[in-house]
Amino acid sequence: MLALRWKLSARGFTSRAVNGFTGSIGNTPLIYLKGLSEKTGSYIYGKAEFQNPGGSVKDRAALGVIEDAEAKGRLQPGGTVVEGTAGNTGIGLAHVCRAKGYKCVIFMPNTQSQEKIDLLRMLGAEVHPVPAVAYENPQNYNHQARDYAKNIPNAIWTDQFDNTANTEAHYRTTGPEIWEQTNGEVDAFICATGTGGTLAGIGKYLREKSAGKTQVWLADPPGSVLQSYVASGGQLKERSGSSITEGIGQGRITNNLGTFVNQLSGAMTIPDEKSIRMVYDLLDTEGLYLGASSALNVVAAVELAKKLGPGKTIATILCDGAYRYQSRLFSKKWLQSKGLEEAIPEHLKKYAVLD
């Protein structure tokens, strides 16, 4: 009987079933962050993108750019998908490629966590860690991915930073989900950006649906120039500094972000000290085991709540879990090497269990 029920589900006779890995991307919960909401007098929510089947918000972009290439006839059965990525987009692409029968090749900075590199390889991707150099350098991982794809038949470079199919995926899915889950009563949305697709796609949808009433803010890590670009009205300064966060922050305006950057309500920079503390705070008070980018987004939502005043509904993105970064974020030695150990309150240091 159980086998029969599953056979019927797989044939589409029940609304409870989805079509494979790709069908399970999206429709993630919106989590009410009770403790932080009560402290600020606001309603703070995190979109649980770590519950996507590949473990991050980047599953949406991965599926979006591949389906766009298929629809345009750029990718044929048995083809190769190539991308330059700091990690999560590559993981999403590797999953989608396995589900759809494509080969996946990833170029990534060799500064990324070993957990991400290992996972990509376990998912069957061909991984090329390369030196981390500026975008302007011809040896930048994005340019190497582009050039590699040019020399392979039936291959595409998905170009996550400047391919606006990334933004469109969030405009079609994530934005509508947040609007529906808040009953159209979201006063503000804020998140960090790497490619710009998440912020631009969600922001565009929420602004349209609310007739411009929903504020959309950008959160930036140290070492990124986006906050200063927004604050200065469009002056792009040279990038300097760095952050413990991975996959967010920029030294330029990508095509994805460029579709929306002029409609942003504002931007703020979040110090690493606040992000690392929030990693531990969320684990201790909410039971959420999240990465540093997710923690930065939550810090930003709290800061925005204070800025807008009590009673507002504010949403952000919980990008991924801490599993891919645990050898760093919960390592005493690593925290000390980054000067961040003292940013963690004494009562939370019990979670730093790795030497």
Side-chain angles (χ1 to χ4, degrees), residues 224-225 227-229 232 235-240 251-252:
S224 177
V225 304
Q227 185 276 333
S228 64
Y229 179 90
S232 67
Q235 295 181 23
L236 197 61
K237 70 177 185 179
E238 187 175 344
R239 188 171 188 173
S240 62
R252 67 186 182 97

Side-chain angles (χ1 to χ4, degrees), residues 9 33-35 41 61 65 77 100 103 105 160 166 170 172 175 185 189 207 210 220 255 288 291 314 322 335 350:
S9 298
L33 301 177
K34 182 175 183 291
V65 295
K100 286 177 168 284
K103 180 180 179 181
V105 179
Q160 61 166 325
N166 176 349
H170 289 286
R172 288 187 293 101
E185 297 179 1
F189 173 79
R207 292 284 288 177
S210 68
D220 226 14
N255 284 356
L288 293 171
I314 299 167
L335 291 167
K350 62 186 177 183

Side-chain angles (χ1 to χ4, degrees), residues 81-85 89-91 93-94 104-108 120 125-129:
V81 173
V82 186
E83 183 56 282
T85 169
T89 301
I91 292 166
L93 286 170
C104 185
V105 179
I106 301 296
F107 286 79
M108 67 189 306
L120 281 167
E126 180 182 315
V127 185
H128 299 268

Side-chain angles (χ1 to χ4, degrees), residues 58-207:
K58 295 297 186 178
D59 287 1
R60 296 184 190 257
L63 180 61
V65 295
I66 287 180
E67 287 187 336
D68 180 70
E70 291 172 332
K72 293 176 178 176
R74 296 176 53 232
L75 184 62
Q76 302 297 324
T80 300
V81 173
V82 186
E83 183 56 282
T85 169
N88 278 334
T89 301
I91 292 166
L93 286 170
H95 275 290
V96 174
C97 283
R98 295 307 330 127
K100 286 177 168 284
Y102 301 123
K103 180 180 179 181
C104 185
V105 179
I106 301 296
F107 286 79
M108 67 189 306
N110 58 10
T111 54
Q112 300 306 298
S113 67
Q114 190 61 43
E115 288 97 334
K116 283 184 180 178
I117 296 171
D118 292 342
L119 178 55
L120 281 167
R121 288 176 171 155
M122 284 186 280
L123 290 171
E126 180 182 315
V127 185
H128 299 268
V130 298
V133 295
Y135 183 80
E136 294 76 20
N137 189 312
Q139 294 304 305
N140 177 273
Y141 63 100
N142 290 294
H143 305 325
Q144 291 202 47
R146 175 199 62 203
D147 295 342
Y148 183 92
K150 286 179 180 177
N151 296 314
I152 302 293
N154 191 17
I156 61 162
W157 171 46
T158 46
D159 190 16
Q160 61 166 325
F161 290 90
D162 294 314
N163 181 351
T164 55
N166 176 349
T167 295
E168 180 62 22
H170 289 286
Y171 179 81
R172 288 187 293 101
T173 67
T174 329
E177 289 172 28
I178 291 173
W179 182 260
E180 181 179 347
Q181 289 167 325
T182 59
N183 294 317
E185 297 179 1
V186 55
D187 296 294
F189 173 79
I190 187 168
C191 74
T193 181
T195 66
T198 303
L199 181 64
I202 295 173
K204 180 183 177 185
Y205 186 88
L206 294 179
R207 292 284 288 177

Side-chain angles (χ1 to χ4, degrees), residues 6-48:
W6 168 243
K7 186 179 289 187
L8 291 174
S9 298
R11 287 177 178 173
F13 290 112
T14 171
S15 60
R16 296 178 183 177
V18 296
N19 187 11
F21 179 92
T22 59
S24 63
I25 294 173
N27 293 310
T28 57
L30 190 68
I31 299 176
Y32 175 61
L33 301 177
K34 182 175 183 291
L36 296 172
S37 296
E38 291 177 348
K39 284 180 182 179
T40 59
S42 301
Y43 303 94
I44 299 176
Y45 294 89
K47 185 75 164 140

